[in-house]
């Protein structure tokens, strides 16, 4: 395995060197321009205020992992408890699985398969 | 050797096919088939432009990006008849590392130019890479688990999906690689290579400040990446029983079908909202996990 990794590493280094040489040959008769980056109309300097920081890389991950806090006004209805009402309440609770989103359904399949796997490994099936 | 040459050769064709199919779906004539190659030719003749803040990293990045993808393509076989140019036990991990190196090189260039938008693109690309890499590893682990091998050449030589259970699994794995290619190759609905709006750019934002030969290298690397993922999709679906000329026929047909699917997705579906991208990319990892659990169940003989 390590022989294979060595060959791949060597191939990578040789190829980078070849491409570098190829580019040097192409650039030989051309003038290299050094200029400021395109700011799309933003005339501010790309210095301390706008330079990328580690936080800019972790920001999007932070947005995703933050649990959504949903504030819902719940209406408390005090009504007579009947068997039909109890069934309706439980079916309404089960309806939370019916989100209409593919990713949720894939997740349900994974949960089910994981459950089957665990039960089988425990000799419960 | 043949597969390596096929990947490099077909990389230029896939972009042409995608553009042609997209034009057909839109009812237009479209531009010439080899226009992307001509555009790269123009870029190779242009003088280089570098940011005043850039260092040697910007100059190394594009060759490193292209070289790592070329070497990665040398690790892929085509079925059982055409083994990879380089093959050894554990090359699946090296393949993933090479893909990461290629991405890291472009992120380097983006950060090094210190532009207004390149840093934003680098942050987005890195974030999506974090989300999508588990999917790549899970899909490859699924193939390793089913075949018991850790080299692409051996995996695809023994992955014979003629039974119903393996056929279903191969379709799931192929679908996973297809969805993965949308993220890895920056295609619609994740990213849009044709967009001119910086705020919606991901990959294109990173390479905004590259020009000339460097940009040409980045474009070629993108084509090779498309070719690599199309080969992974084809290898996952085509049974190992098919050999020699039939296999080559399946490969060419597969390339055309892959291009058609990508073009259809780009033509008929809207781009995902940037805020929803993360959730949708995690779904690809979920598909990978699904395939892995099914493979685990198959491996423990729970499902026949």
């Amino acid at each position: 395995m390590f022989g294979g990794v060595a060959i791949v590493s060597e191939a990578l280094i040789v190829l980078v060197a070849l491409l570098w040489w190829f580019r040097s040959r192409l650039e030989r008769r051309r003038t290299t321009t050094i200029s400021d980056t395109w700011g799309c109309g933003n005339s501010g300097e790309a210095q301390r205020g706008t330079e990328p920081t580690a936080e800019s890389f972790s920001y999007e991950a932070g947005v995703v992992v933050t649990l959504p806090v949903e504030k819902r006004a719940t209406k408390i209805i005090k009504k007579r408890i009947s068997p039909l009402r109890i069934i309706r309440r439980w079916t309404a609770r089960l309806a939370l699985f019916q989100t209409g989103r593919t990713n949720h359904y894939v997740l349900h399949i994974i949960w089910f398969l994981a459950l089957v796997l665990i039960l089988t490994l425990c000799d419960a099936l | 050797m043949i597969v390596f040459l096929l990947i490099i050769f077909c990389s230029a064709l896939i972009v042409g096919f995608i553009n042609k199919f997209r034009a057909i779906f839109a009812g237009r004539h479209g531009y010439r088939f080899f226009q992307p190659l001509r555009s790269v030719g123009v870029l190779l003749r242009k003088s280089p432009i570098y940011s005043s803040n850039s260092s040697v990293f910007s100059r190394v990045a594009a060759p490193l990006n292209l070289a790592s993808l070329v070497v990665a393509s040398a690790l892929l076989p085509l079925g059982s008849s055409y083994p990879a140019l380089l093959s050894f036990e554990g090359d699946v991990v090296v393949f993933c590392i090479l893909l990461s190196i290629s991405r890291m090189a472009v992120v380097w260039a983006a950060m090094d130019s210190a532009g207004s938008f390149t840093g934003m693109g680098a942050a987005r690309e890195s974030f999506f890479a974090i989300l999508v890499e588990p999917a790549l590893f899970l899909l490859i682990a699924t193939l390793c688990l089913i075949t018991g091998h850790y080299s692409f050449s051996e995996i695809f030589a023994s992955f014979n999906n003629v039974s119903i259970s393996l056929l279903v699994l191969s379709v799931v794995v192929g679908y996973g690689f297809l969805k993965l290619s949308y993220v890895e190759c920056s295609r619609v609905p994740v990213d849009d290579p044709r967009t001119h709006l910086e705020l919606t750019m991901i990959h294109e934002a990173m390479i905004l400040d590259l020009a000339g030969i460097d940009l040409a290298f980045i474009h070629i690397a993108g084509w090779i990446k498309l070719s690599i993922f199309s080969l992974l999709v084809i290898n996952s679906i085509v049974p190992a029983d098919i050999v020699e000329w039939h296999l080559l026929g399946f490969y060419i047909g597969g390339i055309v079908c892959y291009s058609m699917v990508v073009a259809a997705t780009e033509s008929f579906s809207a781009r995902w909202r940037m805020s929803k991208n993360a959730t949708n990319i995690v779904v690809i990892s979920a598909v990978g996990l699904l395939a892995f659990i099914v493979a685990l169940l198959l491996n423990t003989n729970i499902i026949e």
Side-chain angles (χ1 to χ4, degrees), chain B residues 93-114:
Chain B
V93 180
V94 176
F95 174 80
C96 296
I97 292 169
L98 285 167
L99 289 188
S100 299
I101 290 173
S102 75
R103 184 184 289 112
M104 185 193 69
V106 189
V107 171
W108 264 0
M111 298 289 288
D112 197 43
S113 65

Side-chain angles (χ1 to χ4, degrees), chain A residues 50-68:
Chain A
T50 56
E51 68 184 16
T53 60
E55 197 183 345
S56 65
F57 276 78
S58 65
Y59 173 77
E60 298 205 40
V63 169
V64 171
V65 296
T66 306
L67 291 171

Side-chain angles (χ1 to χ4, degrees), chain B residues 86-92 144 149-156:
Chain B
L86 293 170
S87 175
F88 52 91
E89 198 73 0
D91 64 7
V92 289
C144 292
H149 297 293
Y150 303 98
S151 163
F152 276 123
S153 290
E154 291 175 354
I155 286 171
F156 291 123

